[in-house]
Amino acid sequence: MKLKIAVQKSGRLNEDSLKLLKDCGIAIENGKQQLKASAANFPVELLFLRSADIPEYVSDGIADLGIVGENLLIEQERQVKKLMPLGFGRCRLSIAIPKEEDYFGPKGLEGKKIATSYPRTLQNYLQKNKISAEIHQISGSVEIAPNIGLADAICDLVSTGNTLFRNGLKEAERMFTSEACLIASSAMLAEKELLVQRLVFRLRAVLEARFNKYILLNIPNTQIAEITSILPGMKSPTILPLAKEGWSSLHSVINENDFWDVLDQLKEKGAEGILIAPIEKMIL
Ligand code: AMP
């Protein structure tokens, strides 16, 4: 029995999806032309599909799991279970307008023509804000629509904002943020649950490790209590005496998001010789 996982065949999420699975010990030797590939060391078969088809394959039970952007789940409203966010493919769905135009809120979109590949999401947004605007559905290169006179505004995915900038547009409204996530079929056989749990366990270990760093530092013994409260670690930090009288070495983990703030506090409390190292896997 094998878990069938649908992943993007080519595109922005493909490389990160395969890297994440590889870090979980699921390595696929795949020529990109293949539509299916099995892993040698975990009972998994990958199905390489177009992004937009993944939610449907998973809701129909052809694939047990899938890796897709949340933006597609919102647009397609398929019946699938969202298991966990995966920390890559971060973007937002935004409305953008020509950069020389003033923007005073969603009401400014009244009567406008908006080009998008996300018609349902845009429709819901307009309805919620009681705006009547014309939706022009196109499947790609949405950002050139205002330039060629096809639309007054666009509704599209943005990550750095560079594409908008290059096309003379500016972000006017952020509708929501999205990242890649793991989805599961409601139609999945109960016998496969255990395999899913094993995979989710590995994914958590890899993702926790990606968001955390191992930190070692030298601290005066008088500061042990204070520095321990700044760096509580997983259970508590490890503290070892240094050969130098009155000093200890403290080992702990630190979340990447807090990293720079915490570093400032540590220096203020007298920490020295701070080393930061990546963690490969982290099991809580
Ligand atoms: P692709 O098939 O290569 O267009 O990949 C599209 C998926 O990548 C989207 O469904 C999003 O979840 C994700 N993504 C992340 N950042 C962006 C971006 N700036 N533009 C388009 N898609 C993005």
Side-chain angles (χ1 to χ4, degrees), residues 8 10-13 51 69 71-72 89-91 118 157-159 178:
Q8 201 189 47
S10 60
R12 276 174 212 261
L13 304 181
S51 266
N71 53 297
L72 277 182
R90 290 213 170 95
C91 57
Y118 294 88
L157 295 174
V158 182
S159 46
S178 165

Side-chain angles (χ1 to χ4, degrees), residues 252-266:
S252 191
V253 290
I254 182 171
N255 188 287
E256 187 143 68
N257 295 327
D258 309 332
F259 180 72
W260 292 107
D261 287 340
V262 171
L263 210 59
D264 288 340
Q265 293 177 47
L266 294 173

Side-chain angles (χ1 to χ4, degrees), residues 96-98 100-101 109 111-116 122 134-138 141-155 167 169:
I97 60 171
E100 61 283 357
E101 281 180 22
L109 299 169
K112 294 269 163 83
K113 192 167 174 185
I114 311 174
T116 190
L122 178 59
E134 190 186 331
I135 299 177
H136 186 78
Q137 182 176 353
I138 42 182
S141 304
V142 176
E143 62 281 354
I144 61 163
N147 266 328
I148 57 173
L150 196 64
D152 306 303
I154 64 165
C155 162
N167 287 279
L169 301 172

Side-chain angles (χ1 to χ4, degrees), residues 72-228:
L72 277 182
L73 298 179
I74 293 172
E75 175 65 19
Q76 298 191 0
E77 295 175 0
R78 303 254 175 211
Q79 287 300 311
V80 294
K81 288 190 272 185
K82 214 159 109 184
L83 293 188
M84 61 195 288
L86 299 174
F88 62 90
R90 290 213 170 95
C91 57
R92 47 196 189 265
L93 189 69
S94 296
I95 291 177
I97 60 171
K99 67 169 178 282
E100 61 283 357
E101 281 180 22
D102 291 327
Y103 184 72
F104 303 107
K107 282 283 167 226
L109 299 169
E110 186 70 41
K112 294 269 163 83
K113 192 167 174 185
I114 311 174
T116 190
S117 315
Y118 294 88
R120 193 186 295 190
T121 312
L122 178 59
Q123 178 70 50
N124 290 342
Y125 175 84
L126 294 173
Q127 237 161 31
K128 209 173 90 203
N129 286 282
K130 304 197 171 48
I131 296 159
S132 90
E134 190 186 331
I135 299 177
H136 186 78
Q137 182 176 353
I138 42 182
S139 59
S141 304
V142 176
E143 62 281 354
I144 61 163
N147 266 328
I148 57 173
L150 196 64
D152 306 303
I154 64 165
C155 162
D156 201 10
L157 295 174
V158 182
S159 46
T160 60
N162 283 340
T163 308
L164 293 185
F165 185 78
R166 278 202 305 276
N167 287 279
L169 301 172
K170 67 178 176 191
E171 206 172 351
E173 286 291 333
R174 292 183 178 191
M175 294 156 71
F176 59 77
T177 56
S178 165
E179 68 182 281
C181 62
L182 182 70
I183 55 171
S185 177
S186 318
M188 186 166 43
L189 296 173
E191 300 94 275
K192 293 192 176 176
E193 282 295 336
L194 206 62
L195 283 177
V196 174
Q197 280 171 26
R198 278 177 62 201
L199 178 65
V200 166
F201 175 83
R202 292 185 186 197
L203 286 168
R204 292 225 160 91
V206 171
L207 294 175
E208 282 293 343
R210 283 187 185 177
F211 298 135
N212 286 282
K213 298 270 175 272
Y214 189 68
I215 179 166
L216 294 96
L217 53 158
N218 295 331
I219 58 173
N221 287 347
T222 50
Q223 299 292 68
I224 288 179
E226 269 202 81
I227 294 185
T228 299

